[in-house]
Amino acid sequence: MAAAAAGVVATLAVALWAEGRFARAAAFRTAVTTAAYLELVIPPPRPPTPPPTPRRPRTRPSRTRRPAPAPLPPPSVAAPDTTDYDVVQLLVQARALTTLPGWTAPVEVYHGTAPLVDATAPPLPAAELARLRRQEPPRWRNGAALVPLKDRRGLRVVGAVEVGLPPGRGVWDLLLRWALPAALLTLAAVGAVAWQRAPPRALVAAGLLLGLAAYADVRGAARRSTDDWLTGTRLLLREAATRLPTPRARVTIADLASLVRGAGELVPADSGTVAPRRFRFAGVPRAAATARLGSGRWVEVRTVPAEAYTGGWLLALLGLALTGPLAALGLGWAERMTARPRELRETAAAWAFVAPAGLHLALFSLGPILFALYLSVHRWVPAEPVRPFVGLANFGAVLRDPLVWVSLRNTVLYTLYVPVSMAVALLVALALDGHGRAMRLARTAFLLPYVSSVVAVGLLWQWLYHADVGLVNRLLSFVGAGPFDWLGRPRTALLAVMLLSIWVHVGYQMVVFRAGLQGIPRAYLDAARVDGANAWQRFWRVTFPLLRPVTVFVLVTGVIGAFQVFGYVYVLTSGGPLHATDVVAYRVYQSAWQFSQFGYASALSLLVFLVLCAATWAQFRLLAERVEYA
């Protein structure tokens, strides 16, 4: 039970760290936007007024003419630094931030090391200012985000901006919403299981609830961090529109674009609500807030919401929350098994033998399936920097695509070769059911196409089907039939691929049927022969019913393989002509590797997987009844 309690504590600690991470990220973004606002609206310092030129005292003119005195040099006036800010205006604007209606984050602005908002606050340490001037990354200091305040040209650091967490945005405030009550419930379940008041599976249910509650808190913290930045940016946009000194009559979006600084984008808007809202634009999630710049003039600030990419936190928190209960169950099982050492050794040996195959299955089968499921709910395009969550949009696009239905129809028609090849393979297995050298050579000849390279077989049949020099058309010319463009006609292209597949798969199916024939006891056939059954009656009444399990296996694997056909179509026709051989596997390949729509291709592959599951289940239900014999 200590393991389950440790899992609860670890889940709360990770959720606490994740929530604090999102809260600090919002403070950093708000601090950067505030610094950009001050750099935009604060004017340069005014040039000092030169002192008046002193006048020479008047004297009475004398009769003696004297030379005129040299003019006095003008007083020297130091040229102002136009890259710095007007300190008075910076002080006014910094203190005005705390009086903005709706502004909740504590803020402090430093010019050099001197605080401007709170004059009684301690100055910024000189080491911190030097670190900012060395262009080191902004860091978290004393519960607030500290970012540099640069001059008007953005070259020299003249101060700093410090933004803390808004009231009610503390990590403990967020954690008390869902995670802490769920943790208390999980601990109660741990105690109930320890006192045998509840079954052990209650621990798993409690751990699952804790993981979901912790993820809800983390997602809520991510959502609030985006809302805090949007709200603060909206207020700064509105203030900048009224205070920005521009030579034009009205402030434009280009004048305010520096406030977002890569954290979002500004677009024109008609009107909007004050509260942030969520929507999707071109399949990408967006969060936006609207600011009023003037009479009838609105601007919308957009950004990618932080909660849109918290799927990894869901998996991490669920896994961490279930680690404790699963560990407790495992320890309980181990404690029970120690009382039966022989059974424990047998179980350990069995799992040791199964482990390599299970690991291989998990890595190369279950892992790709889960990754395909992840891709199917995202718009995954390698050329795009973001891969947004789109839900079931890819599945809807697949179902609305007419080419998908064409490829599904072609695939279903292509699977019709399977019963034909099975019948031919069974006849060959019956005909070659001998032990001579000729029989073995014949069986080897039938099996060679199946074990040969797919590309080599495709190129060989491409030459056989050639309209001018192909062997098939040459043989047809001897009987007076004209040459056919087998692969160039929509009506014959799919049939040509089916004939190739029959030729390839007959050998493999023949081997399986022959193994089934060898497993039939000879006593059954001898008894039927004594009862007067002829060869056909012995096959239909005895041999074929006993081959039913083998027949079901060959049929199911043949249908699954037919739905996965790709190499022959790629080499022979590339899905043409006019999509006549465009099968599902080739449609998946083309969508992923030619059109770079990996989410769409993954959704299509999962739909094909569901179709195959349904088809396999139906085949087992119809053909796999157990046959009992007296």
Side-chain angles (χ1 to χ4, degrees):
M1 295 301 107
V8 172
V9 175
T11 303
L12 289 180
V14 172
L16 187 69
W17 179 80
E19 293 176 17
R21 180 174 177 269
F22 284 113
R24 290 190 294 270
F28 275 112
R29 295 179 70 184
T30 304
V32 171
T33 306
T34 305
Y37 165 78
L38 295 175
E39 295 169 10
L40 186 66
V41 301
I42 305 300
R46 297 178 181 178
T49 305
T53 304
R55 296 181 179 180
R56 296 179 62 87
R58 292 184 177 181
T59 59
R60 292 181 179 180
S62 65
R63 296 181 179 180
T64 306
R65 189 164 184 169
R66 296 179 180 179
L72 295 176
S76 60
V77 178
D81 185 5
T82 58
T83 62
D84 204 347
Y85 302 106
D86 188 340
V87 179
V88 176
Q89 291 295 325
L90 182 60
L91 175 63
V92 172
Q93 296 297 336
R95 293 188 175 181
L97 289 174
T98 59
T99 61
L100 289 178
W103 184 274
T104 57
V107 61
E108 181 61 81
V109 179
Y110 297 94
H111 184 261
T113 59
L116 301 182
V117 177
D118 186 4
T120 61
L124 181 68
E128 291 290 340
L129 184 61
R131 187 186 59 82
L132 294 176
R133 286 176 175 173
R134 290 195 300 267
Q135 298 183 356
E136 296 183 10
R139 71 184 187 93
W140 192 256
R141 173 182 174 271
N142 296 333
L146 184 67
V147 299
L149 176 65
K150 297 185 178 181
D151 58 14
R152 298 178 58 84
R153 293 185 300 179
L155 300 177
R156 185 168 56 92
V157 176
V158 298
V161 175
E162 193 176 62
V163 175
L165 297 179
R169 292 292 188 268
V171 177
W172 289 107
D173 298 330
L174 299 175
L175 189 64
L176 291 174
R177 294 178 180 268
W178 300 105
L180 195 56
L184 296 177
L185 182 61
T186 305
L187 292 177
V190 171
V193 173
W195 290 93
Q196 298 182 355
R197 300 290 184 179
R201 60 177 177 271
L203 278 179
V204 179
L208 184 64
L209 178 63
L210 174 61
L212 293 176
Y215 172 70
D217 283 344
V218 171
R219 184 178 175 86
R223 183 182 181 91
R224 282 185 287 273
S225 68
T226 303
D227 292 345
D228 290 343
W229 180 77
L230 287 174
T231 301
T233 305
R234 181 184 64 83
L235 296 175
L236 295 178
L237 284 171
R238 189 182 62 186
E239 287 297 312
T242 59
R243 301 180 183 275
L244 185 62
T246 58
R248 295 179 296 274
R250 298 194 303 179
V251 176
T252 63
I253 293 180
D255 298 328
L256 304 174
S258 61
L259 265 69
V260 295
R261 285 195 175 182
E265 58 180 349
L266 297 178
V267 296
D270 295 333
S271 62
T273 58
V274 176
R277 62 187 182 92
R278 263 68 175 176
F279 62 95
R280 289 188 175 275
F281 181 76
V284 180
R286 287 286 187 267
T290 307
R292 184 174 180 270
L293 302 183
S295 177
R297 299 175 56 242
W298 300 78
V299 65
E300 187 176 68
V301 53
R302 296 178 179 178
T303 187
V304 178
E307 71 272 12
Y309 301 99
T310 55
W313 289 109
L314 175 61
L315 298 178
L317 291 172
L318 279 178
L320 194 60
L322 291 176
T323 299
L326 293 179
L329 294 178
L331 292 175
W333 174 83
E335 183 179 358
R336 291 191 302 270
M337 294 300 294
T338 52
R340 294 171 289 182
R342 180 178 179 181
E343 185 178 352
L344 177 61
R345 288 194 301 269
E346 292 177 353
T347 303
W351 279 107
F353 282 110
V354 173
L359 182 62
H360 181 275
L361 185 66
L363 290 178
F364 297 101
S365 294
L366 184 60
I369 290 176
L370 294 178
F371 186 60
L373 180 61
Y374 173 78
L375 292 180
S376 65
V377 294
H378 290 78
R379 195 182 71 181
W380 189 286
V381 179
E384 296 182 358
V386 294
R387 298 173 176 90
F389 176 81
V390 296
L392 300 179
N394 287 325
F395 293 92
V398 167
L399 296 177
R400 291 190 301 268
D401 192 351
L403 291 179
V404 171
W405 295 102
V406 170
S407 63
L408 184 60
R409 180 202 64 189
N410 294 336
T411 306
V412 172
L413 292 176
Y414 175 78
T415 56
L416 297 179
Y417 90 87
V418 177
V420 179
S421 64
M422 289 174 59
V424 176
L426 183 56
L427 292 177
V428 174
L430 292 171
L432 300 180
D433 191 15
H435 299 283
R437 179 176 297 179
M439 293 294 181
R440 290 196 296 269
L441 290 176
R443 289 194 295 266
T444 303
F446 274 97
L447 186 61
L448 278 178
Y450 183 77
V451 298
S452 299
S453 170
V454 173
V455 177
V457 172
L459 293 176
L460 173 63
W461 279 77
Q462 191 177 46
W463 172 76
L464 292 176
Y465 284 135
H466 197 277
D468 299 326
V469 297
L471 182 60
V472 175
N473 284 326
R474 287 189 177 183
L475 294 176
L476 290 177
S477 64
F478 287 112
V479 297
F484 291 96
D485 189 4
W486 294 92
L487 301 177
R489 291 185 177 183
R491 293 185 178 182
T492 59
L494 186 61
L495 179 61
V497 180
M498 293 171 65
L499 293 176
L500 164 63
S501 300
I502 292 173
W503 180 74
V504 169
H505 291 88
V506 161
Y508 162 74
Q509 295 171 353
M510 177 266 299
V511 172
V512 178
F513 276 124
R514 187 172 181 275
L517 289 173
Q518 290 179 347
I520 297 176
R522 298 296 301 178
Y524 293 159
L525 298 176
D526 294 340
R529 187 180 293 107
V530 169
D531 292 338
N534 56 26
W536 170 252
Q537 289 174 340
R538 291 195 302 271
F539 170 77
W540 187 251
R541 298 285 184 176
V542 180
T543 303
F544 190 69
L546 292 177
L547 283 177
R548 179 170 294 179
V550 177
T551 304
V552 172
F553 173 77
V554 174
L555 179 62
V556 171
T557 56
V559 170
I560 294 175
F563 266 82
Q564 296 176 346
V565 63
F566 169 75
Y568 301 132
V569 173
Y570 182 80
V571 174
L572 291 176
T573 62
S574 297
L578 299 178
H579 300 285
T581 58
D582 190 2
V583 291
V584 172
Y586 187 80
R587 173 58 41 191
V588 172
Y589 162 78
Q590 194 174 40
S591 300
W593 298 105
Q594 292 186 7
F595 303 145
S596 297
Q597 298 177 355
F598 287 90
Y600 178 92
S602 300
L604 178 56
S605 63
L606 289 177
L607 289 178
V608 174
F609 172 74
L610 295 178
V611 171
L612 283 177
C613 289
T616 304
W617 176 82
Q619 291 172 9
F620 275 112
R621 292 283 296 178
L622 295 176
L623 302 175
E625 295 89 354
R626 298 187 61 181
V627 181
E628 298 181 0
Y629 300 94

